[in-house]
Amino acid sequence: MRMSVIGCGYLGAVHAAAMASIGHDVIGIDVDAGKVAALADGVAPFFEPQLDELLQEGVASGRLRFSTETADAAGAAVHFLAVGTPQVAGGHAADLRFVDAAVDALLPHLRAGDVVAGKSTVPVGTAARLTPRIAQTGAALVWNPEFLREGWAVHDTIMPDRLVVGIPQTSAGEEAAALLRDAYAPAIEAGAPFLVTDLATAELVKGAANAFLATKISFINAMAEIAEAAGADVTLLADALGHDTRIGRRYLGSGIGFGGGCLPKDIRAFAARAEELGRGEAVGFLREVDGINLRRRDRAVQLVVDALGGLVFGRRIAVLGAAFKPFSDDIRDSPALDVAVRLRGLGADVVVTDPAALENAAAAHPQLGYAPHRDDALRDADAVVIVTEWDHYRRELTPEHAGSLVAGRVIVDGRNCLDAAAWRAAGWQYHGMGRR
């Protein structure tokens, strides 16, 4: 099937490459000429495991092309909208300028029977607003939200845990759903559920999923605050809760909280849209979810200050991690970098290391020190803070090796990813989040 992907940022580049890998003829469209040139050379402008290989394979096969001209999308049966929806400046709502601009550019090139499939995360009601404009060309608008995890995006596109398609309640909607079934045939044949809903429900699914995930993460972080006050251990508490099949253990890892370009801004936009609909009280709890998340960064900084006797000025602190999560170079709203910046603001000599995100971090925060290698960051450090749970730190770094490099055996485990007993046995002063 011939298809276009409008917007080749994180979502769009992955989607285009993945669709080409399962046999479709795909053209990716983006206004950024530098990005398009890199993608056309088989190089992703961001770090995502397996993506470069998929790009190179797709480009070499001729099934995957990239362009800055929306006119090159003409003739595709399906046009995926994958542009960004950042927060509006000075507010919490989603900025839909890029979605509207993409639709404006695409309209002259649509034919009767074409399908426009929205993948961007948008406030509920966006599809209803856009539908008349697209319908006048004879094309149909459906909403097909993405559920990608950074670091696993290729897998999540090719082998999704579910496919949701919101359609208009017309015969054109039924035909569009059938076309999307064909587009995703390999995943459906492999067992991925294909759920057809109305447009509003499909738009709500992504926001609701992120709201639930953020709530679960902030819940265990709230329990960490209580555990610290009570002298309990939040990791043991999470283990006990996780045995309840109604709750489950996944995403009950306490730490410095979530970040990235999706979860924080999406829950804020979700709450903002609820306010616009006159139902803000229904998701008022999301404001506290956001507040708990931000407080954990404060707590990590305070643990470092307390561990160093109340004063970090002039002390060398190794910060292990810059990306908001492992297997990514994304530093948007990164708790890891937030902790590093706050420590630097207190006068500490901060040295940050990360396997993938140093270039992005240095561009955003040139006031910090950086070391490309983990051991260089550890050398002569008075304290160590783990803020991104890369395997380089949680599995491959031993307390004995780290101890041979540092000046002081003080470690703050901002992700509760280390074996506390092993580090303490090696003579380290270990501090976890919500742990005794």
Side-chain angles (χ1 to χ4, degrees):
M1 182 186 301
R2 186 175 178 193
M3 55 182 62
S4 76
V5 178
I6 312 299
C8 291
Y10 182 83
L11 166 61
V14 172
H15 194 72
M19 290 295 99
S21 77
I22 61 175
H24 296 299
D25 179 11
V26 184
I27 181 158
I29 308 292
D30 200 281
V31 297
D32 186 330
K35 183 188 299 179
V36 165
L39 290 167
D41 285 338
V43 179
F46 51 85
F47 177 77
E48 178 64 32
Q50 302 179 50
L51 181 56
D52 279 357
E53 294 87 343
L54 232 59
L55 287 168
Q56 291 158 16
E57 175 191 316
V59 170
S61 71
R63 292 192 304 271
L64 179 60
R65 297 176 296 121
F66 294 93
S67 172
T68 57
E69 299 296 328
T70 309
D72 290 338
V78 181
H79 305 272
F80 291 100
L81 294 179
V83 296
T85 54
Q87 265 181 240
V88 295
H92 287 166
D95 186 342
L96 298 179
R97 287 178 301 164
F98 302 113
V99 172
D100 289 332
V103 171
D104 288 341
L106 188 59
L107 283 174
H109 311 294
L110 294 177
R111 308 165 303 173
D114 285 356
V115 172
V116 178
K119 295 203 71 67
S120 304
T121 302
V122 297
V124 62
T126 302
R129 178 174 65 81
L130 295 175
T131 291
R133 299 175 60 199
I134 290 171
Q136 69 184 2
T137 69
L141 175 67
V142 303
W143 218 264
N144 173 216
E146 57 87 9
F147 303 101
L148 306 186
R149 300 166 295 166
E150 290 198 36
W152 297 90
V154 169
H155 173 273
D156 291 346
T157 304
I158 296 173
M159 296 294 293
D161 53 16
R162 80 281 208 193
L163 291 157
V164 176
V165 179
I167 64 171
Q169 304 305 299
T170 63
S171 58
E174 296 294 338
E175 292 168 4
L179 193 61
L180 266 290
R181 282 184 184 273
D182 289 343
Y184 291 117
I188 295 169
E189 290 169 5
F194 187 84
L195 309 175
V196 179
T197 73
D198 55 87
L199 288 168
T201 300
E203 291 170 309
L204 277 175
V205 168
K206 178 60 186 293
N210 278 352
F212 187 87
L213 177 58
T215 300
K216 188 170 185 179
I217 295 169
S218 282
F219 169 81
I220 199 63
N221 280 331
M223 294 303 101
E225 294 182 9
I226 302 220
E228 287 180 351
D233 189 321
V234 74
T235 59
L236 299 178
L237 173 65
D239 289 342
L241 290 173
H243 284 290
D244 188 327
T245 55
R246 298 168 299 175
I247 297 172
R249 183 61 173 85
R250 295 190 69 194
Y251 299 103
L252 282 183
S254 176
I256 60 172
F258 55 80
C262 292
L263 210 54
K265 65 99 175 170
D266 285 353
I267 65 169
R268 293 166 192 156
F270 194 68
R273 182 57 177 151
E275 291 280 359
E276 293 171 355
L277 293 169
R279 291 294 183 269
E281 70 279 2
V283 291
F285 67 91
L286 288 179
R287 284 185 281 275
E288 182 56 22
V289 165
D290 200 12
I292 292 168
N293 187 55
L294 295 176
R295 282 204 304 272
R296 299 315 288 162
R297 307 176 187 192
D298 295 333
R299 182 57 184 154
V301 172
Q302 191 60 50
L303 282 174
V304 178
V305 172
D306 290 347
L308 291 176
L311 184 66
V312 298
F313 186 86
R315 310 295 291 275
R316 180 180 169 91
I317 300 175
V319 175
L320 306 188
F324 87 96
K325 64 176 290 187
F327 308 109
S328 172
D329 65 351
D330 194 345
I331 62 164
R332 291 174 293 175
D333 203 359
S334 169
L337 273 181
D338 197 1
V339 168
V341 168
R342 294 185 196 203
L343 289 169
R344 178 67 180 84
L346 295 174
D349 174 17
V350 176
V351 181
V352 179
T353 188
D354 189 282
L358 278 196
E359 184 176 346
N360 291 341
H365 299 286
Q367 76 273 31
L368 299 174
Y370 295 95
H373 302 294
R374 180 197 66 194
D375 287 3
D376 291 335
L378 290 171
R379 192 165 286 110
D380 299 324
D382 296 300
V384 180
V385 191
I386 294 187
V387 282
T388 309
E389 63 273 35
W390 287 95
D391 284 347
H392 299 64
Y393 315 138
R394 69 188 185 103
R395 296 188 187 279
E396 299 168 13
L397 179 63
T398 67
E400 294 77 17
H401 179 69
S404 70
L405 297 168
V406 299
R409 294 194 175 198
V410 174
I411 190 160
V412 173
D413 184 359
R415 294 296 182 180
N416 286 345
C417 60
L418 301 178
D419 183 340
W423 284 79
R424 286 177 176 143
W428 284 78
Q429 185 187 146
Y430 171 93
H431 301 271
M433 305 291 289
R435 306 181 75 174
R436 290 192 303 272

